[in-house]
Amino acid sequence: MPELPEVETTLRGLAPHLSGQRIAQVIVRNPQLRWPVPEQLPAILRGQTILALRRRAKYLLLACDSGTLILHLGMSGSLRVLPENTPPEKHDHFDLVFSNGTLMRLRDPRRFGAVLWHTGDIALHPLLTRLGPEPLNDEFDSGHLYHATRRRSAPIKLVIMDSHVVVGVGNIYANEALFRAGIRPQLAAGKLSLARSGKLVQSIRETLTESIALGGSTLRDFVHSDGKPGYFQQHYWVYGRTGEPCRQCGNTIKQIKQGQRSSFYCPSCQK
DNA sequence: AATCTTTCCTGCCGGC
DNA sequence: TGCCGGCAGGAAAGAT
């Protein structure tokens, strides 16, 4: 499911096909996503050029002539570039059709994704203003995490998944990063030492960076792909491995529930 | 029927 | 008393 590495991979796959393209037509087959796709959007976007693409948290931002198109993949969304006459399938809700004969198509079976439009400074959009730092930027460091966790009784796993603390850490990578850092998911965040904050920051960075690198290998198939772009198999240390032996020490991986989500950890490697 | 995925929102609680 | 932040729980759709 789209976590930050998948979104970053999608961005890198889309960028060469979309930047500089003129939008000839916008097709909204089902506007009922997480929020309704703005009714005026097709009229607004027609004739505009995509100037640049970037990512903030798990939002894809397409800068156009008069504003920014905001895309979110939710839990099940995917984007791909196709020839413009490609027939849509059941969950294909939104197309940007370009004047070069291609289109960008959003498929989202569970419809928790979003297509929104913002004029003016994109950093001021309500969804973006209160976000914490990007996990791969320098401002996300041991001091930041240490300060963000002081006097917090919530489990550390929930705090690193809090987008006000740091963006882009979803359930899979939260579990993997905590294993890598040797920290139990249920540790009260306020009890994390400065040194362990640094270790966790580094672990989050490495976990995401390795996953993005893995995703890069799928870029070749981005256009005309039948598979899900940016969705790749990988070798998890703990995620989904309940009852299996720890790859590091051989003890049994445990599963618990935190904030209605599954957490996985090795009771001997993580303290 | 339960589970999984993201993230915003509601409501309760305690502190000042 | 009112406001604030922290936190738990709930909600959305569909495949399995």
Side-chain angles (χ1 to χ4, degrees):
Chain A
M1 296 298 114
E3 288 219 30
L4 185 138
E6 286 83 356
V7 177
E8 180 67 25
T9 297
T10 297
L11 171 73
R12 293 179 188 185
L14 283 179
H17 301 282
L18 266 59
S19 43
Q21 290 303 319
R22 182 179 163 276
I23 298 167
Q25 196 190 353
V26 178
I27 300 171
V28 182
R29 295 187 193 81
N30 185 352
Q32 300 301 309
L33 302 181
R34 177 165 192 154
W35 300 284
V37 177
E39 272 181 46
Q40 335 80 287
L41 190 63
I44 292 170
L45 275 178
R46 186 170 304 159
Q48 296 212 28
T49 297
I50 298 177
L51 305 173
L53 293 84
R54 60 188 191 89
R55 177 187 63 73
R56 174 71 174 109
K58 293 174 186 168
Y59 297 97
L60 289 167
L61 307 175
L62 277 55
C64 301
D65 296 318
S66 77
T68 303
L69 189 66
I70 303 172
L71 304 174
H72 197 286
L73 300 178
M75 294 182 174
S76 60
S78 62
L79 292 166
R80 70 196 75 186
V81 177
L82 299 162
E84 68 178 340
N85 57 2
T86 308
E89 294 182 29
K90 187 174 179 185
H91 301 297
D92 292 342
H93 306 309
F94 179 86
D95 289 352
L96 290 182
V97 184
F98 304 117
S99 54
N100 74 343
T102 66
L103 60 78
M104 183 205 76
R105 177 163 288 168
L106 172 68
R107 174 173 298 179
D108 188 1
R110 285 167 234 180
R111 293 193 282 113
F112 286 9
V115 177
L116 299 169
W117 176 250
H118 182 77
T119 53
D121 186 350
I122 187 63
L124 300 181
H125 190 278
L127 289 171
L128 305 182
T129 46
R130 296 173 61 200
L131 294 176
E134 289 288 327
L136 303 179
N137 282 3
D138 290 344
E139 47 182 322
F140 179 57
D141 61 11
S142 56
H144 172 84
L145 185 57
Y146 185 70
H147 288 301
T149 51
R150 289 314 85 189
R151 296 179 204 190
R152 290 191 66 163
S153 59
I156 186 61
K157 174 164 179 267
L158 297 186
V159 174
I160 62 174
M161 292 178 71
D162 178 349
S163 65
H164 303 111
V165 173
V166 58
V167 301
V169 182
N171 196 36
I172 294 171
Y173 297 111
N175 280 296
E176 293 296 296
L178 285 165
F179 174 84
R180 193 186 274 255
I183 298 168
R184 287 197 188 206
Q186 57 272 65
L187 178 74
K191 295 195 171 176
L192 196 67
S193 68
L194 180 58
R196 299 189 93 196
S197 297
K199 177 71 176 167
L200 183 51
V201 165
Q202 185 187 1
S203 298
I204 290 170
R205 284 228 183 89
E206 290 169 354
T207 301
L208 294 174
T209 303
E210 287 177 13
S211 184
I212 290 168
L214 198 61
S217 63
T218 70
L219 283 182
R220 179 178 310 172
D221 298 329
F222 194 81
V223 184
H224 307 196
S225 171
D226 291 333
K228 299 177 184 176
Y231 185 38
F232 27 91
Q233 287 299 327
Q234 57 185 290
H235 177 94
Y236 295 128
W237 290 97
V238 289
Y239 184 81
R241 300 195 63 242
T242 313
E244 294 179 40
C246 174
R247 299 188 197 279
Q248 194 159 258
C249 76
N251 280 16
T252 304
I253 301 299
K254 282 196 170 181
Q255 177 175 357
I256 57 172
K257 282 275 185 210
Q258 295 181 293
Q260 309 169 125
R261 321 284 298 273
S262 288
S263 296
F264 306 88
Y265 69 101
C266 171
S268 48
C269 293
Q270 293 170 261
K271 302 294 180 190

